[in-house]
Amino acid sequence: MFESIADKLLDAKKIVFVTGAGISQESGIPTFRGKDGLWRKYDAMQLATIDAFYENPKLVWEWYDERRKNILAAKPNAGHTTIANLEKFKQIRVLTQNIDGLHQRAGSSQVYELHGSIVTIKCTVCDFKEKVAESFSELPPICKCGNMLRPDVVWFGESLPQDVWSKAIEEASLCDVMFVVGTSLAVSPANMLPLYAKQNGAILVEVNPEKTPMSQNMDLSIRSTSANALPEILSIMH
Ligand code: BV8
Ligand code: ZN
């Protein structure tokens, strides 16, 4: 699958992976598209907003609790483990829209969580923040300052963590090859990262069973699943 860019891959110093829900689909975690994107009768895009949270914090917490249970029960797949193993050969950076932490669990050491993490919670008012230890007896859980706790994720209409976003732009602008894996590129500003790489003359490779809005900008489009396609990159490195 990757023969046409094998030389570029072998010459590359820094390789960046921009990933989305598709890379975790083969770990049993639903994507946001189509029927997958619905929880009970709610559209994920509706629930992942600060308005939905203040309108019905218990409902939003139940959604994240259920997703966290699925995610903690899931295992990284060959897509995640390949990216982690490539660190033996190249400088690898992962810029992910996923909040599931599966890249880190697969062993990737440089992961930038653009949209936060489902395994961390924070206070809606004070600067309290901690990893989720146990499931909560009462929803929404209350902080010691008396205000509601919330998942440490970025909701629609909220800005990305500035330090993570500026680092992501830097890495995208300095890479030799960028793989865009398992994302519909429907959400901004994350969907602009391939543009930064293109501006720097990087090789752009897409791994997705379906076309995306940037397919025509790719140097190579692999119409396959990530767990099926990515391991082939390793065979080129050996
Ligand atoms: C912001 C965390 C500044 C929470 C998420 C109108 C027009 C344009 C933009 C906007 C607009 N109105 C508002 C905006 C901005 C908005 C936006 O982009 N909206 C979209 C919907 C139009 N963006 C924001 O609000 C961002 N903040 O801009 O701040 C600002 C502030 C105020 C006002 C304006 C601007 C914040 C966005 C972050 C939101 N949080 N997640 C949670 O997860 O609960 S986004 C969430 O959805 C994910 O993180 C991800 O980013 C996105 C889903 O996309 P994908 O991951 O790509 O998944 P998807 O299901 O869509 O696609 C899966 C793909 O995988 C498919 O292509 C499929 O073919 C493929 N696939 C499937 N299986 C496999 C596979 N590929 C490989 N292998 C497989 N096995
Ligand atoms: Zn607090």
Side-chain angles (χ1 to χ4, degrees):
M1 289 188 234
F2 300 98
E3 296 72 24
S4 62
I5 59 160
D7 299 351
K8 294 271 193 258
L9 277 177
L10 289 168
D11 297 350
K13 284 187 206 46
K14 179 175 283 189
I15 299 178
V16 163
F17 286 83
V18 171
T19 67
I23 198 168
S24 295
Q25 185 267 333
E26 290 158 291
S27 293
I29 298 175
T31 66
F32 286 71
R33 298 282 90 186
K35 68 171 185 23
D36 270 4
L38 282 181
W39 179 73
R40 296 182 190 170
K41 61 181 183 338
Y42 300 95
D43 173 346
M45 303 287 188
Q46 280 169 300
L47 283 175
T49 63
I50 192 76
D51 304 348
F53 179 70
Y54 280 109
E55 202 177 300
N56 190 336
K58 189 167 181 308
L59 178 75
V60 171
W61 261 103
E62 282 166 353
W63 182 44
Y64 281 98
D65 257 19
E66 189 166 314
R67 290 173 68 189
R68 189 181 312 108
K69 283 194 188 74
N70 294 343
I71 284 168
L72 294 177
K75 295 209 170 358
N77 61 61
H80 300 106
T81 50
T82 296
I83 295 174
N85 294 332
L86 281 170
E87 291 190 11
K88 296 189 195 74
F89 305 93
K90 302 287 178 180
Q91 289 178 38
I92 303 292
R93 304 290 182 272
V94 180
L95 313 179
T96 189
Q97 299 165 79
N98 301 342
I99 62 176
D100 57 32
L102 287 178
H103 283 297
Q104 295 94 323
R105 281 167 55 191
S108 284
S109 63
Q110 308 240 6
V111 180
Y112 297 93
E113 296 178 306
L114 304 169
H115 297 161
S117 165
I118 201 168
V119 292
T120 309
I121 55 172
K122 64 183 179 182
C123 180
T124 48
V125 175
C126 77
D127 58 7
F128 171 82
K129 184 183 277 198
E130 77 169 11
K131 278 217 172 308
V132 177
E134 33 50 64
S135 64
F136 303 95
S137 49
E138 212 200 324
L139 292 180
I142 303 301
C143 175
K144 62 184 180 317
C145 76
N147 292 290
M148 278 194 296
L149 292 172
R150 58 166 283 178
D152 182 21
V153 298
V154 179
W155 282 328
F156 288 98
E158 294 186 321
S159 307
L160 276 55
Q162 213 35 57
D163 54 339
V164 175
W165 179 239
S166 46
K167 195 70 182 141
I169 291 173
E170 185 190 326
E171 297 289 3
S173 308
L174 295 174
C175 68
D176 304 301
V177 178
M178 175 179 277
F179 286 88
V180 179
V181 182
T183 179
S184 60
L185 294 173
V187 169
S188 71
N191 57 5
M192 295 201 295
L193 290 168
L195 299 173
Y196 288 100
K198 195 80 186 170
Q199 268 158 12
N200 179 49
I203 298 291
L204 284 185
V205 185
E206 177 180 70
V207 177
N208 193 319
E210 292 172 20
K211 276 173 71 58
T212 72
M214 284 197 72
S215 294
Q216 74 281 354
N217 308 90
M218 297 293 160
D219 300 288
L220 178 62
S221 284
I222 303 291
R223 292 277 164 266
S224 170
T225 70
S226 43
N228 183 42
L230 293 185
E232 279 213 19
I233 303 172
L234 274 174
S235 54
I236 290 173
M237 296 294 170
H238 281 108

